Amino acid sequence: MHARRPATLASLAAELGVSRTTVSNAYNRPDQLSPELRRRVLETAKRLGYPGPDPVARSLRTRKAGAVGLLLTENLSYAFRDPAALAFLEGLALACESAGQGLHLVPVNPQREDIANVHRAGVDGFVVYSVPDDDPHLAAVLSRPVPTVVCDQPRVEGVDRVGIDDHAAITKIAKRLISLGHRRIGVLCMRLGRDRNDSFVSLDRQRSAHFHVQRTRLAGLADTFTAAGVNWADVRVVERFDHSQASGESAAAQLLDADPGVTAIICTSDILALGAMTEAKRRNLRVPQDLTITGFDGITEARRVGLTTVRQPVLEKGKAAGKLLLGAAEANRQREITLETELVDGTTSAPPRTAEERWFGP
Amino acid sequence: MHARRPATLASLAAELGVSRTTVSNAYNRPDQLSPELRRRVLETAKRLGYPGPDPVARSLRTRKAGAVGLLLTENLSYAFRDPAALAFLEGLALACESAGQGLHLVPVNPQREDIANVHRAGVDGFVVYSVPDDDPHLAAVLSRPVPTVVCDQPRVEGVDRVGIDDHAAITKIAKRLISLGHRRIGVLCMRLGRDRNDSFVSLDRQRSAHFHVQRTRLAGLADTFTAAGVNWADVRVVERFDHSQASGESAAAQLLDADPGVTAIICTSDILALGAMTEAKRRNLRVPQDLTITGFDGITEARRVGLTTVRQPVLEKGKAAGKLLLGAAEANRQREITLETELVDGTTSAPPRTAEERWFGP
DNA sequence: TATTGGTTCTGAACCGTTACCGTCAGGCCA
DNA sequence: TGGCCTGACGGTAACGGTTCAGAACCAATA
């Protein structure tokens, strides 16, 4: 029944007539006492039901918790739905596992600003994954006196960082579409701030977005298309708070309703792109003949449908974050890791139809 | 830089000329001191870089860690690959989240019997998910003086439990196949013990399997088919250590090589069944006309391909486990939760072809 | 005036362990 | 015989908080 804690290291020591130190050593440093005594200690422990040194007390004394905290501002369960987040989690878990460290998922209620849970987590360090840069939980983590690694976040002074070059990555997509001939495009992006705005995005909101990744990708698109002679102010960008295929569908619908003339929809995630493809099919728009659609991430599902996208090594990101954090003691280590991305040419991108083709068929 | 811990509650108190109690109250019981003093405390804390009460020390004193431990004997990352395990994890995470509890994934190296990590986890309770009944980690968890909930495990005296009736569930499949007319069947199952046996399974090994779920499902099949006049000793059961579609493929191949005459392959998981379907296709066996294939779990992918299977509420299992654990203080609570399962008739099951049809076509 | 009650703060005990250093006995060597 | 070393164990002091029973003070009530 494990009712109440019956024995402590001290009571065990008293029972045996030895010091607490000796009992402690029996568990932690077998070489520090005679095998015979150790045997007696362990045997008595079993008899009294002593479960071994209390992990919390040990942590207090040794100043090691044996666990890494993970902060995701989304509902914890979000991480289990989104393939990219999942792969990141897996990579991080692998790194923790091989270092014998636990992985402590910090519970966060995105509505209430529940900073307390960050302060309550007994961990040796934090990994922060893709939270808005003005998130109070992030601030709470940074205020804790433990090493931290941020991922898909803006740089923070003195904090290790893992990520990709989002600007360069999305530029690969943009350049490809430009070279195919696309000039009239639309964009679907994930949420840009903690407030919900399921609609078009003003230039101002684009620039002041609090999600680093989204802000940077939009900036990359703006820069590249502007350089190609497109007036970015005319490009419609549709935002969705929830990250799901359904969001991609409705966002694509909103975009196509507003401007049926777009020849390409660029999405800042594969999930959104998959939704957009569903919406295209509903409208009898053939992809890529009638409409080009691109994604971002390179998730398995995207590969299956042949989505044109940018693949990023999400699992490696998780691994890298873990290694960076757990190797924090190493001197002169690299403080920032930027992973490579790769353009994946799929079957969802093609040159736009000419005006003639639009009317008379290909 | 968060270099070294500069301040403690005591040093803050000294700086302010108040007692430690007062500083503690400033954080935990704002009503216990004047607003003015509280403001001074918090301000001084900020000035000295005091990050608030140390979570580990607090845990030691309050005997609450604010986290739930999760033990999966598989590699931690396994949980992120297997859809069923994932859904369970999500459900558990949801329950933790709504209770404001962290979720601490205990790192376990399945090779080395690394019990230490179980003892090191500072948690208020454990959830144990689908580990072999002779697993030393399970024993280690049970030796800890904290509440525990086991899931998909055999009953343990005094320990809460969540699960389904595996025997009844697989019997639904068995009866369906029997009523369709299948008598010559084969079975694909997941690993039955900690040792690797990627081959046929003896009756003895079936009965002494250490994974409760697999053992029970096999027993259910044996009972039901025996009652239908099938000599169970003649039924080939193929085991695979790794749980993957590739395993399902190779296991199905092994089975079909040994007995090309089977009319149905019953799998104890959807993943294995999906692999079996791939192998069937490779052999130009039409499903279900030439071969019936069934799964177990009811994962999304199974629904997509129309697999005949038994759906179990995996996410709810996770939620239930969390609630049971976190509501442990409630008196007279239910100590065991058994969730319902449902037979899903898909398009992968049909009556067996007659001998005549086998030779002359349908 | 004495009592009551409420607010604000303090003192001391306690949570269970490990780090650090000291002690002591016995053996070895010169 | 004396000095030194080694193995085995003990004592003390943290580690950084929370809690509970009161003390001190002041205003209000009987």
Side-chain angles (χ1 to χ4, degrees):
Chain A
M1 297 297 292
H2 309 306
R4 61 257 164 269
R5 167 178 312 265
T8 72
L9 195 148
S11 67
L12 228 192
E15 172 81 13
L16 281 158
V18 302
S19 75
R20 301 203 300 277
T21 303
T22 300
V23 178
S24 175
N25 284 336
Y27 284 95
N28 303 317
R29 305 194 186 171
D31 58 313
Q32 292 294 305
L33 71 173
S34 62
E36 160 59 14
L37 179 54
R38 181 171 134 90
R39 197 192 50 72
R40 270 182 56 218
V41 170
L42 265 32
E43 183 186 293
T44 308
K46 181 170 289 183
R47 183 164 56 79
L48 297 186
Y50 174 64
D54 181 278
V56 175
R58 168 184 285 165
S59 286
L60 174 60
R61 183 66 242 235
T62 62
R63 311 219 54 79
K64 292 257 164 291
V68 169
L70 174 61
L71 178 69
L72 310 149
T73 303
E74 298 287 344
N75 285 307
L76 251 185
S77 68
Y78 159 85
F80 302 121
R81 299 274 182 172
D82 183 75
L86 201 53
F88 178 83
L89 205 51
E90 182 182 343
L92 180 58
L94 281 170
C96 289
E97 193 169 66
S98 68
Q101 297 287 299
L103 184 55
H104 182 121
L105 277 44
V106 178
V108 160
N109 192 320
Q111 312 311 340
R112 292 192 301 125
E113 308 214 333
D114 206 359
I115 285 195
N117 285 326
V118 172
H119 287 291
R120 276 195 350 188
V123 297
D124 297 327
F126 279 99
V127 172
V128 179
Y129 179 71
S130 193
V131 306
D133 53 23
D134 62 343
D135 190 306
H137 302 94
L138 172 59
V141 164
L142 295 177
S143 78
R144 295 261 319 246
V146 294
T148 297
V149 174
V150 299
C151 189
D152 291 356
Q153 304 268 146
R155 285 176 187 76
V156 178
E157 175 64 24
V159 174
D160 293 351
R161 181 168 176 272
V162 173
I164 59 171
D165 185 339
D166 284 289
H167 193 287
I170 200 118
T171 295
K172 295 176 186 171
I173 294 257
K175 287 196 168 159
R176 171 57 44 98
L177 294 199
I178 288 168
S179 74
L180 284 173
H182 293 277
R183 292 297 182 278
R184 188 154 170 192
I185 61 163
V187 178
L188 269 41
C189 70
M190 294 164 61
R191 64 211 241 200
L192 300 178
R194 289 189 286 150
D195 56 322
R196 180 183 285 266
N197 170 46
D198 288 332
S199 188
F200 297 101
V201 185
S202 69
L203 288 176
D204 196 48
R205 186 173 173 85
Q206 290 180 36
R207 278 192 283 263
S208 62
H210 285 295
F211 281 91
H212 171 264
V213 163
Q214 299 297 310
R215 184 179 61 236
T216 310
R217 291 182 192 167
L218 289 177
L221 291 175
D223 292 350
T224 313
F225 276 99
T226 300
V230 173
N231 181 4
W232 186 255
D234 292 342
V235 174
R236 285 181 178 78
V237 176
V238 180
E239 173 180 353
R240 281 296 180 272
F241 191 83
D242 294 320
H243 188 221
S244 64
Q245 288 200 30
S247 289
E249 291 178 38
S250 75
Q254 191 170 5
L255 179 67
L256 291 168
D257 283 345
D259 182 1
V262 294
T263 62
I265 299 182
I266 301 176
C267 307
T268 62
S269 85
D270 287 346
I271 295 281
L272 292 177
L274 292 172
M277 290 184 63
T278 304
E279 179 62 20
K281 178 176 287 180
R282 181 175 301 130
R283 292 180 180 232
N284 291 318
L285 291 171
R286 292 167 302 164
V287 177
Q289 295 93 328
D290 302 328
L291 184 65
T292 283
I293 294 178
T294 67
F296 198 111
D297 280 342
I299 64 177
T300 307
E301 183 72 13
R303 191 169 321 171
R304 179 151 50 191
V305 304
L307 188 67
T308 293
T309 188
V310 175
R311 176 153 44 231
Q312 61 167 325
V314 196
L315 189 129
E316 279 66 31
K317 263 203 291 194
K319 273 192 194 169
K323 277 185 191 160
L324 211 52
L325 187 62
L326 296 170
E330 297 166 22
N332 294 337
R333 74 187 187 290
Q334 190 179 356
R335 290 227 155 233
E336 177 151 351
I337 296 180
T338 302
L339 298 168
E340 292 305 312
T341 59
E342 175 196 5
L343 179 65
V344 179
D345 265 313
T347 56
T348 63
S349 50
R353 306 176 75 189
T354 62
E356 208 170 321
E357 285 172 342
R358 294 185 83 88
W359 293 109
F360 303 109
Chain B
M1 295 297 293
H2 309 306
R4 62 261 163 266
R5 167 179 311 266
T8 70
L9 192 145
S11 68
L12 228 193
E15 171 83 13
L16 281 158
V18 301
S19 74
R20 300 206 306 278
T21 303
T22 300
V23 178
S24 175
N25 284 335
Y27 284 94
N28 304 316
R29 305 192 186 173
D31 59 313
Q32 293 295 304
L33 72 172
S34 64
E36 160 59 14
L37 179 55
R38 181 169 133 91
R39 196 191 52 72
R40 271 181 56 217
V41 171
L42 264 33
E43 183 186 292
T44 308
K46 179 169 292 183
R47 183 165 56 79
L48 296 187
Y50 176 64
D54 181 277
V56 176
R58 168 183 284 164
S59 286
L60 174 59
R61 181 64 238 236
T62 61
R63 309 223 55 80
K64 293 256 163 291
V68 169
L70 174 61
L71 177 70
L72 309 150
T73 303
E74 299 288 343
N75 286 306
L76 252 184
S77 68
Y78 159 85
F80 303 121
R81 299 272 183 175
D82 184 74
L86 200 53
F88 178 82
L89 203 52
E90 182 182 343
L92 180 58
L94 280 170
C96 289
E97 192 170 66
S98 68
Q101 298 287 299
L103 184 56
H104 182 121
L105 276 45
V106 178
V108 160
N109 193 321
Q111 313 309 340
R112 293 191 300 126
E113 308 214 334
D114 205 359
I115 284 195
N117 285 325
V118 172
H119 286 291
R120 275 196 350 190
V123 297
D124 298 326
F126 279 100
V127 171
V128 179
Y129 179 72
S130 194
V131 305
D133 53 22
D134 61 343
D135 190 307
H137 301 94
L138 172 58
V141 164
L142 295 177
S143 79
R144 295 260 321 245
V146 294
T148 297
V149 174
V150 300
C151 189
D152 290 355
Q153 303 268 145
R155 286 177 188 74
V156 178
E157 176 63 24
V159 174
D160 294 351
R161 180 169 177 271
V162 173
I164 59 172
D165 185 339
D166 284 288
H167 193 286
I170 200 116
T171 295
K172 294 176 187 172
I173 295 256
K175 286 196 168 159
R176 171 57 43 97
L177 294 198
I178 288 168
S179 74
L180 284 172
H182 293 278
R183 292 296 182 279
R184 189 154 170 192
I185 61 163
V187 178
L188 269 42
C189 71
M190 294 164 61
R191 64 211 242 201
L192 301 178
R194 290 188 287 151
D195 56 322
R196 181 183 286 267
N197 170 46
D198 288 332
S199 187
F200 297 101
V201 185
S202 68
L203 288 176
D204 197 47
R205 186 173 173 86
Q206 289 179 37
R207 277 192 284 264
S208 63
H210 284 295
F211 281 92
H212 171 264
V213 164
Q214 299 296 311
R215 183 179 62 235
T216 310
R217 291 181 193 169
L218 289 177
L221 291 174
D223 293 349
T224 313
F225 277 99
T226 300
V230 172
N231 182 2
W232 186 253
D234 293 341
V235 175
R236 285 182 176 78
V237 176
V238 180
E239 173 179 353
R240 280 297 179 272
F241 190 83
D242 294 319
H243 187 220
S244 64
Q245 288 199 30
S247 289
E249 290 178 39
S250 76
Q254 191 170 5
L255 179 68
L256 291 168
D257 283 345
D259 183 2
V262 294
T263 62
I265 299 182
I266 301 176
C267 307
T268 63
S269 84
D270 286 347
I271 296 280
L272 292 176
L274 291 171
M277 290 185 63
T278 303
E279 178 62 21
K281 179 176 288 181
R282 180 176 301 131
R283 294 179 178 232
N284 290 319
L285 290 171
R286 291 166 303 164
V287 176
Q289 295 93 328
D290 302 328
L291 184 65
T292 283
I293 294 179
T294 67
F296 198 110
D297 280 342
I299 64 177
T300 307
E301 183 71 13
R303 192 169 320 172
R304 179 151 51 192
V305 305
L307 187 67
T308 294
T309 188
V310 174
R311 176 152 47 229
Q312 60 167 324
V314 196
L315 189 130
E316 278 65 32
K317 263 204 290 196
K319 272 192 194 171
K323 279 185 190 161
L324 212 52
L325 187 62
L326 297 170
E330 297 167 22
N332 293 337
R333 73 186 186 290
Q334 191 179 355
R335 289 227 155 233
E336 178 152 350
I337 295 180
T338 302
L339 298 168
E340 293 304 312
T341 59
E342 176 196 5
L343 179 66
V344 179
D345 266 313
T347 57
T348 63
S349 51
R353 305 177 75 189
T354 62
E356 205 169 323
E357 285 171 342
R358 294 184 84 90
W359 293 110
F360 303 109

